[in-house]
Amino acid sequence: MNNKLFARPLGYFFQLLLPLLFLASMAFAQTPEAAPAMADDLRASGKIYVVVAVVAVIVAGLLAYLISLDRKVSRLEKEIKA
């Protein structure tokens, strides 16, 4: 068998794999903290519920906007077809 046929794709494979392994090792090298302090503080003071409520309102607003936009586009598509 010709080793050049296998050497080239295998070389490309290692050229892609080695940087990914290096990046993964950098991610595991981070020092873990005991617990996220901000989440504990927000939970302890009860402010986490405010954060959840604000996020829920933003998501609901985006959903309502998308629904109304879809209705407008559907209406315009019907007008164009007619």
Side-chain angles (χ1 to χ4, degrees), residues 5-7 24 27 35 37 40 52 56 60 62 69 81:
L5 290 176
F6 290 106
D40 290 338
V52 170
L62 286 172
L69 191 63
K81 286 183 180 180

PDB file of all heavy atoms in Angstrom, residues 5-7 24 27 35 37 40 52 56 60 62 69 81:
ATOM      1  N   LEU A   5      -0.813   8.047   0.753  1.00  0.00           N
ATOM      2  CA  LEU A   5      -2.258   8.256   0.743  1.00  0.00           C
ATOM      3  C   LEU A   5      -2.820   8.355   2.156  1.00  0.00           C
ATOM      4  O   LEU A   5      -3.765   9.092   2.416  1.00  0.00           O
ATOM      5  CB  LEU A   5      -2.956   7.120  -0.011  1.00  0.00           C
ATOM      6  CG  LEU A   5      -2.752   7.083  -1.516  1.00  0.00           C
ATOM      7  CD1 LEU A   5      -3.428   5.863  -2.098  1.00  0.00           C
ATOM      8  CD2 LEU A   5      -3.286   8.345  -2.149  1.00  0.00           C
ATOM      9  N   PHE A   6      -2.221   7.604   3.078  1.00  0.00           N
ATOM     10  CA  PHE A   6      -2.705   7.635   4.455  1.00  0.00           C
ATOM     11  C   PHE A   6      -2.027   8.727   5.268  1.00  0.00           C
ATOM     12  O   PHE A   6      -2.577   9.207   6.242  1.00  0.00           O
ATOM     13  CB  PHE A   6      -2.483   6.276   5.123  1.00  0.00           C
ATOM     14  CG  PHE A   6      -3.365   5.211   4.570  1.00  0.00           C
ATOM     15  CD1 PHE A   6      -2.858   4.235   3.739  1.00  0.00           C
ATOM     16  CD2 PHE A   6      -4.709   5.196   4.855  1.00  0.00           C
ATOM     17  CE1 PHE A   6      -3.667   3.256   3.220  1.00  0.00           C
ATOM     18  CE2 PHE A   6      -5.537   4.214   4.346  1.00  0.00           C
ATOM     19  CZ  PHE A   6      -5.015   3.243   3.509  1.00  0.00           C
ATOM     20  N   ALA A   7      -0.825   9.103   4.901  1.00  0.00           N
ATOM     21  CA  ALA A   7      -0.074  10.082   5.676  1.00  0.00           C
ATOM     22  C   ALA A   7      -0.700  11.467   5.575  1.00  0.00           C
ATOM     23  O   ALA A   7      -0.787  12.187   6.556  1.00  0.00           O
ATOM     24  CB  ALA A   7       1.375  10.124   5.217  1.00  0.00           C
ATOM     25  N   ALA A  24      -8.900  22.246  25.009  1.00  0.00           N
ATOM     26  CA  ALA A  24      -9.634  21.508  26.033  1.00  0.00           C
ATOM     27  C   ALA A  24      -8.816  21.391  27.309  1.00  0.00           C
ATOM     28  O   ALA A  24      -9.349  21.508  28.414  1.00  0.00           O
ATOM     29  CB  ALA A  24     -10.012  20.128  25.517  1.00  0.00           C
ATOM     30  N   ALA A  27      -9.089  24.522  29.232  1.00  0.00           N
ATOM     31  CA  ALA A  27     -10.368  24.676  29.918  1.00  0.00           C
ATOM     32  C   ALA A  27     -10.381  23.885  31.218  1.00  0.00           C
ATOM     33  O   ALA A  27     -10.925  24.341  32.228  1.00  0.00           O
ATOM     34  CB  ALA A  27     -11.508  24.229  29.012  1.00  0.00           C
ATOM     35  N   ALA A  35     -18.574  27.669  44.795  1.00  0.00           N
ATOM     36  CA  ALA A  35     -19.919  27.899  44.286  1.00  0.00           C
ATOM     37  C   ALA A  35     -19.978  29.320  43.745  1.00  0.00           C
ATOM     38  O   ALA A  35     -19.248  30.187  44.217  1.00  0.00           O
ATOM     39  CB  ALA A  35     -20.960  27.707  45.378  1.00  0.00           C
ATOM     40  N   ALA A  37     -20.781  32.846  43.743  1.00  0.00           N
ATOM     41  CA  ALA A  37     -21.187  33.710  44.851  1.00  0.00           C
ATOM     42  C   ALA A  37     -22.391  34.566  44.492  1.00  0.00           C
ATOM     43  O   ALA A  37     -23.261  34.810  45.334  1.00  0.00           O
ATOM     44  CB  ALA A  37     -20.015  34.593  45.267  1.00  0.00           C
ATOM     45  N   ASP A  40     -25.706  32.662  44.869  1.00  0.00           N
ATOM     46  CA  ASP A  40     -26.038  32.452  46.278  1.00  0.00           C
ATOM     47  C   ASP A  40     -26.530  33.734  46.933  1.00  0.00           C
ATOM     48  O   ASP A  40     -27.484  33.725  47.715  1.00  0.00           O
ATOM     49  CB  ASP A  40     -24.830  31.909  47.034  1.00  0.00           C
ATOM     50  CG  ASP A  40     -24.498  30.483  46.645  1.00  0.00           C
ATOM     51  OD1 ASP A  40     -25.403  29.793  46.133  1.00  0.00           O
ATOM     52  OD2 ASP A  40     -23.338  30.085  46.840  1.00  0.00           O
ATOM     53  N   VAL A  52     -35.632  36.416  37.566  1.00  0.00           N
ATOM     54  CA  VAL A  52     -36.437  35.460  36.797  1.00  0.00           C
ATOM     55  C   VAL A  52     -37.659  36.148  36.207  1.00  0.00           C
ATOM     56  O   VAL A  52     -38.026  35.904  35.046  1.00  0.00           O
ATOM     57  CB  VAL A  52     -36.830  34.263  37.683  1.00  0.00           C
ATOM     58  CG1 VAL A  52     -37.857  33.381  36.992  1.00  0.00           C
ATOM     59  CG2 VAL A  52     -35.601  33.463  38.062  1.00  0.00           C
ATOM     60  N   ALA A  56     -38.515  36.534  32.259  1.00  0.00           N
ATOM     61  CA  ALA A  56     -39.790  36.006  31.760  1.00  0.00           C
ATOM     62  C   ALA A  56     -40.572  37.076  31.004  1.00  0.00           C
ATOM     63  O   ALA A  56     -41.170  36.794  29.953  1.00  0.00           O
ATOM     64  CB  ALA A  56     -40.620  35.462  32.920  1.00  0.00           C
ATOM     65  N   ALA A  60     -41.533  36.846  27.105  1.00  0.00           N
ATOM     66  CA  ALA A  60     -42.940  36.941  26.723  1.00  0.00           C
ATOM     67  C   ALA A  60     -43.152  38.087  25.737  1.00  0.00           C
ATOM     68  O   ALA A  60     -43.930  37.957  24.778  1.00  0.00           O
ATOM     69  CB  ALA A  60     -43.799  37.138  27.968  1.00  0.00           C
ATOM     70  N   LEU A  62     -40.921  39.315  23.588  1.00  0.00           N
ATOM     71  CA  LEU A  62     -40.384  38.892  22.295  1.00  0.00           C
ATOM     72  C   LEU A  62     -41.314  37.914  21.599  1.00  0.00           C
ATOM     73  O   LEU A  62     -41.514  37.987  20.378  1.00  0.00           O
ATOM     74  CB  LEU A  62     -39.006  38.264  22.479  1.00  0.00           C
ATOM     75  CG  LEU A  62     -37.862  39.229  22.773  1.00  0.00           C
ATOM     76  CD1 LEU A  62     -36.605  38.446  23.115  1.00  0.00           C
ATOM     77  CD2 LEU A  62     -37.624  40.140  21.600  1.00  0.00           C
ATOM     78  N   LEU A  69     -45.927  39.936  14.437  1.00  0.00           N
ATOM     79  CA  LEU A  69     -45.211  40.102  13.182  1.00  0.00           C
ATOM     80  C   LEU A  69     -45.600  38.998  12.195  1.00  0.00           C
ATOM     81  O   LEU A  69     -45.781  39.269  10.999  1.00  0.00           O
ATOM     82  CB  LEU A  69     -43.706  40.080  13.441  1.00  0.00           C
ATOM     83  CG  LEU A  69     -42.800  40.491  12.307  1.00  0.00           C
ATOM     84  CD1 LEU A  69     -43.039  41.943  11.930  1.00  0.00           C
ATOM     85  CD2 LEU A  69     -41.360  40.284  12.714  1.00  0.00           C
ATOM     86  N   LYS A  81     -51.196  37.639  -2.916  1.00  0.00           N
ATOM     87  CA  LYS A  81     -51.754  36.544  -3.714  1.00  0.00           C
ATOM     88  C   LYS A  81     -53.088  36.950  -4.352  1.00  0.00           C
ATOM     89  O   LYS A  81     -53.421  36.490  -5.429  1.00  0.00           O
ATOM     90  CB  LYS A  81     -51.950  35.304  -2.872  1.00  0.00           C
ATOM     91  CG  LYS A  81     -50.662  34.612  -2.556  1.00  0.00           C
ATOM     92  CD  LYS A  81     -50.896  33.327  -1.763  1.00  0.00           C
ATOM     93  CE  LYS A  81     -49.589  32.638  -1.448  1.00  0.00           C
ATOM     94  NZ  LYS A  81     -49.802  31.406  -0.681  1.00  0.00           N
TER      95      LYS A  81
END
